Amino acid sequence: MNDFHISGNGASQTGHLVLLRHGETVWSVSGQHTGRTDLPLTEAGERQAVEAGARIRQAYPEGFGSQVFSSPLRRAKQTAHDAGFGDARVCPGIAEWDYGRAEGRTRAQLSDTLGRSWNLWRDGTEALGAELEGDRVETLPSGQQVSVHNGPGETIAQVAARAAEVAREMLPTILAGQDVLLVAHAHILRILTTQWLGVDPHLARLLRLDTAHYSSLGVYKGDPVIEHWNL
């Protein structure tokens, strides 16, 4: 959980931490776990990104200045560009959860392999056997080939630790009254939200965040809060 200490500051009004999930990919449609595999957006995902950018600019007409950050992964950077935030700076801390042995595989496939129902939030990637590790190449429906790496992966505690660090880094800017935009992925943004709120990262499973939808975190009467979700 976070260790934020939010108190009075010089700004008459605090800013917002706006979280935008990337647009659709073929694996977000198929349900394959997409952590570090560098997938592009689908054509539908590109359209979603443009539409998301329009919604965000309507909600935040003053913009974000230089405070726009993207995950280093292609689908997030492409979403930032298509949404009209092509000057986004790369923030390694908001790369998606490294799913390790689950990467590129569906929950059903992993449950079959494990011999029982597998749930990422309950069991973590560490519950999967080392026999699932290795490197392979998958061919997407477009014919494009992508490299898939199945390593040990990250625990939810490790993901939460780096998410909390990003939130701490952004906090002074927000307390100074400046809005910040992060363009990233569903799980890392949901876990970052739990760290903003100071609650167990497992509660992120209760926060649905659809492709190319955005949410807004803020400060209300000294407390970190969710202001808007999945818009």
Side-chain angles (χ1 to χ4, degrees), residues 64-107:
F64 302 91
S66 64
Q67 301 302 310
V68 181
F69 301 89
S70 168
S71 157
L73 293 162
R74 177 179 178 182
R75 57 194 183 275
K77 292 192 290 185
Q78 189 178 357
T79 297
H81 179 273
D82 292 350
F85 304 105
D87 56 350
R89 291 181 281 168
V90 170
C91 176
I94 54 174
E96 183 59 300
W97 190 340
D98 183 346
Y99 297 124
R101 298 159 183 168
E103 184 74 15
R105 298 177 168 117
T106 66
R107 180 175 174 180

Side-chain angles (χ1 to χ4, degrees), residues 19-37:
L19 314 175
L20 173 61
R21 183 186 175 188
H22 65 77
E24 179 192 271
T25 70
V26 292
W27 283 8
S28 65
V29 175
S30 66
Q32 291 167 263
H33 286 82
T34 320
R36 303 302 174 84
T37 305

